[in-house]
């Protein structure tokens, strides 16, 4: 077997060929269709938002201290004002913070992660069909689309301590509705786009729609109590 003397000239000649072969192998083995989980995407959105708002860290710590004090005060008050009204039970505390370009919902909870139970939307406008569905440990996402490409997304999140949701503040109106004992906040944009937000039990529900009437949005949030395991 002939011995090869590895010199600088030899490396300059053959390493580009090796590099090209390695890159080609990596490209051929890469899964370009891979989809990140909804939980990962949610954490990345939160991380990106925090990187864009470095001043939020100190405020977040202060908010958490205030939320802890508020929770203690609420617990004491609860001893005097206990109610059997089921939909008043709070599984987590929410702090809403306004920034220049965003509205941040931050959640504080002492509870542990329980078994996730998904809820289907209570209504779907005519002409929409389901195109995608993801059910993970702490989130449930369904995407619907009609013939002209308009989309509706239904997202259910199991809230854990420290989670947050970011809303773009470029909306034209923010309206609050009560639907079957649930508070639904609808953000409307001039393009017709709607972003609806609701808290129920240990979950946050988010509906986004390219074009949808308010009455239809209210019907969506009449999802009742039936859960799909």
């Amino acid at each position: 077997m002939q011995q090869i003397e590895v010199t600088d000239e030899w490396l300059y000649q053959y390493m580009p060929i090796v590099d090209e072969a390695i890159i080609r192998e990596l490209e051929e083995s890469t899964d370009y269709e891979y989809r990140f989980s909804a939980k990962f995407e949610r954490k990345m959105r939160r991380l990106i938002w925090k990187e864009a708002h470095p001043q939020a860290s100190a405020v977040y710590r202060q908010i958490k201290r205030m939320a802890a004090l508020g929770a203690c005060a609420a617990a004491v008050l609860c001893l005097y004002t206990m109610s059997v009204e089921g939909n008043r039970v709070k599984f987590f505390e929410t702090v809403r913070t306004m920034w220049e370009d965003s509205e941040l919902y931050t959640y504080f909870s002492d509870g542990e992660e329980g078994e996730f139970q998904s809820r289907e939307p209570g209504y779907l406008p005519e002409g929409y069909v389901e195109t995608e569905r993801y059910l993970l440990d702490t989130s449930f996402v369904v995407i619907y689309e009609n013939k002209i490409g308009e989309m509706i997304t239904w997202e259910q999140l199991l809230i854990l301590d420290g989670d947050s949701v970011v809303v773009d503040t470029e909306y034209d109106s923010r309206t609050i509705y009560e639907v079957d004992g649930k508070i639904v906040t609808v953000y409307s944009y001039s393009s017709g786009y709607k972003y609806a937000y609701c808290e129920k039990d240990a979950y946050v529900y988010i509906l986004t729609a390219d074009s949808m009437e308010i009455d239809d949005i209210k019907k969506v949030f009449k999802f009742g109590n039936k859960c799909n395991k």
Side-chain angles (χ1 to χ4, degrees):
M1 181 177 179
Q2 183 181 3
Q3 292 185 345
I4 298 175
E5 181 180 359
V6 179
T7 63
D8 290 342
E9 289 77 10
W10 187 91
L11 291 174
Y12 283 128
Q13 179 179 357
Y14 289 102
M15 284 309 296
I17 299 175
V18 175
D19 289 342
E20 184 178 350
I22 293 174
I23 293 173
R24 185 167 58 252
E25 176 65 23
L26 289 174
E27 290 178 342
E28 291 175 354
S29 62
T30 299
D31 181 8
Y32 293 100
E33 300 299 322
Y34 179 78
R35 291 181 179 274
F36 292 102
S37 69
K39 183 177 181 181
F40 175 83
E41 294 283 1
R42 179 158 53 106
K43 288 185 175 180
M44 287 304 299
R45 288 197 299 268
R46 184 174 64 188
L47 178 61
I48 292 171
W49 189 91
K50 287 183 177 179
E51 288 295 325
H53 301 81
Q55 71 276 24
S57 297
V59 176
Y60 176 85
R61 289 192 295 269
Q62 182 65 22
I63 289 174
K64 191 163 187 176
R65 285 195 291 268
M66 294 171 62
L69 292 173
C72 291
V76 174
L77 182 61
C78 183
L79 294 175
Y80 298 96
T81 59
M82 292 184 66
S83 170
V84 295
E85 189 176 351
N87 58 13
R88 290 186 180 273
V89 176
K90 290 289 290 182
F91 289 80
F92 55 87
E93 296 297 327
T94 306
V95 175
R96 177 170 164 259
T97 309
M98 297 297 298
W99 298 89
E100 292 182 358
D101 59 350
S102 304
E103 184 171 320
L104 177 68
Y105 288 90
T106 308
Y107 310 103
F108 304 95
S109 173
D110 293 329
E112 297 181 356
E113 180 178 335
E115 181 183 2
F116 185 86
Q117 295 181 308
S118 64
R119 295 178 188 269
E120 301 282 345
Y123 170 79
L124 186 66
E126 185 178 354
Y128 282 86
V129 295
E130 181 180 319
T131 59
E132 297 181 61
R133 173 180 291 250
Y134 307 99
L135 179 58
L136 305 174
D137 291 340
T138 60
S139 62
F140 172 54
V141 179
V142 189
I143 300 175
Y144 306 93
E145 188 172 350
N146 63 15
K147 291 183 178 180
I148 61 176
E150 293 176 333
M151 299 179 65
I152 295 174
T153 301
W154 173 257
E155 184 175 8
Q156 177 186 356
L157 308 173
L158 175 63
I159 295 301
L160 305 178
D161 187 52
D163 281 352
S164 60
V165 169
V166 181
V167 181
D168 178 14
T169 55
E170 295 298 320
Y171 55 81
D172 292 278
S173 66
R174 175 180 178 271
T175 310
I176 297 176
Y177 303 93
E178 183 174 351
V179 181
D180 289 349
K182 301 182 292 293
I183 299 301
V184 179
T185 304
V186 179
Y187 299 84
S188 301
Y189 298 77
S190 58
S191 62
Y193 179 81
K194 300 289 194 308
Y195 181 105
Y197 172 97
C198 176
E199 297 178 2
K200 170 68 173 175
D201 298 333
Y203 302 96
V204 162
Y205 299 86
I206 297 173
L207 170 76
T208 61
D210 291 332
S211 178
M212 198 170 184
E213 299 296 329
I214 295 297
D215 287 343
D216 287 341
I217 292 176
K218 291 180 180 180
K219 293 177 184 177
V220 170
F221 283 94
K222 293 183 178 181
F223 47 72
N225 296 318
K226 185 177 179 179
C227 298
N228 298 320
K229 299 285 184 75

